[in-house]
Amino acid sequence: MSRPVPWIPAVLYGAVLLGGVYYALIGPGLGARTAGYVALLGALIVLDRREWRIAPGAVSVLRVVLLCSVAVLDESGLSRVLFVLVPFLAFFAYGSAVAIGLGTGCVAALAGVFTLRVPHWQVRAEYICDLLMFALGVVLALAMAAVAVREQQARARLEGTLAQVAELSAARERNRLAREIHDSLGHHLTAIGIQLEKAEAFASLDPQGSAQAVSHARWSANRALEEVRASVRTLGPESESEPVGLSRALADLVHHLDGGSRRITLEMSGTERRPLLVLYRAAQEGLTNACRHSAATDIRVTVAYDERGARLQVIDNGTGFDASDEGFGLSGLRERVRLAEGTVAIDSSPAGTALTVGVPW
């Protein structure tokens, strides 16, 4: 595990270094012992500031050897505080169990040193206080390491969650864009096919009607290109790309699909408060399915506005379809309506299909 608080050892090394040098200046004076003390502390700082290509266990052993060497050369006794780093750093490298064991061993080792070097230290308040303060330092070091590890783990979980959110957001935006392109491009391609079939059928019988059908097909092609460009360009909320007016937009749809062997009518009632893209896309989907798949000859599009919202119906006299076998278009429409907090109902039979979509204001 990487060490989340690399500055703590450096701060302790620096404090002990300054304290030991200051003690030497006001006490026994500077000499070879002080120079060795400074050199060993410098080696400890380098050891903890660099990444080594040797086993972590070897680094830990080398650190303990250097700490013991510093303690031997230290005349002030300040260096014993550095031994709290042994369990602290072990916590990141080996886990809490090893760190607690090493911390207990360090406290026991200090008590052993006092027993060997200070007769009857057990009844001397200053040594008992030193041992208790060292034990408290070990406990605080372990607690700080545990907090740092938990914070590091929480940050890693947060980063993972943010990555998942970003991935889901990107997937949702891709699905939205795919749905936009499918709805607009699919409808207009259907319209182009219908008008070209009409132009071919009436080429010799009604040149004017054939030319009009070609004109409608050209309009649908240009409109499809504009809507695809708008979908790619905005990549924003659906409300940003709503048609200027639903009535006018639906009238254009019906006008460029009507004719030939197929009759399409549009009825609207009530007052339109604002354009609703979801109803426009629902009308596109219903008209596309009715014209392309159901062989319908009569299609009625009705829109009713009231105080609660808007309701759209696309009813045809085609052959119907299996409601359990919905394609991408209808599943995408259901998702659109769900996001708008509306409802979708599809009633299909061999006598025809009725698509009903309701959306609140």
Side-chain angles (χ1 to χ4, degrees), residues 230-246:
S231 296
V232 174
R233 182 173 59 251
T234 59
L235 288 176
E238 292 185 343
S239 59
E240 295 182 2
S241 56
E242 289 182 350
V244 175
L246 182 61

Side-chain angles (χ1 to χ4, degrees), residues 287-327:
L287 288 172
T288 299
N289 289 338
C291 294
R292 181 189 298 174
H293 303 299
S294 70
T297 58
D298 184 70
I299 306 171
R300 289 184 293 117
V301 180
T302 61
V303 180
Y305 299 100
D306 57 28
E307 293 300 319
R308 293 173 298 178
R311 180 172 176 267
L312 176 138
Q313 277 193 314
V314 180
I315 303 174
D316 66 65
N317 64 346
T319 58
F321 69 99
D322 185 357
S324 64
D325 187 23
E326 293 186 359

Side-chain angles (χ1 to χ4, degrees), residues 122-174:
Q122 298 88 346
V123 295
R124 298 177 62 175
E126 63 270 25
Y127 287 99
I128 295 176
C129 182
D130 285 349
L131 184 62
L132 290 177
M133 291 301 294
F134 180 76
L136 180 61
V138 169
V139 172
L140 291 177
L142 290 172
M144 184 181 297
V147 171
V149 168
R150 284 197 294 268
E151 181 183 358
Q152 185 184 46
Q153 293 171 343
R155 187 180 296 112
R157 287 193 297 268
L158 177 60
E159 291 175 354
T161 302
L162 292 177
Q164 291 178 352
V165 170
E167 184 177 351
L168 291 174
S169 298
R172 181 179 178 182
E173 188 59 30
R174 286 194 299 269

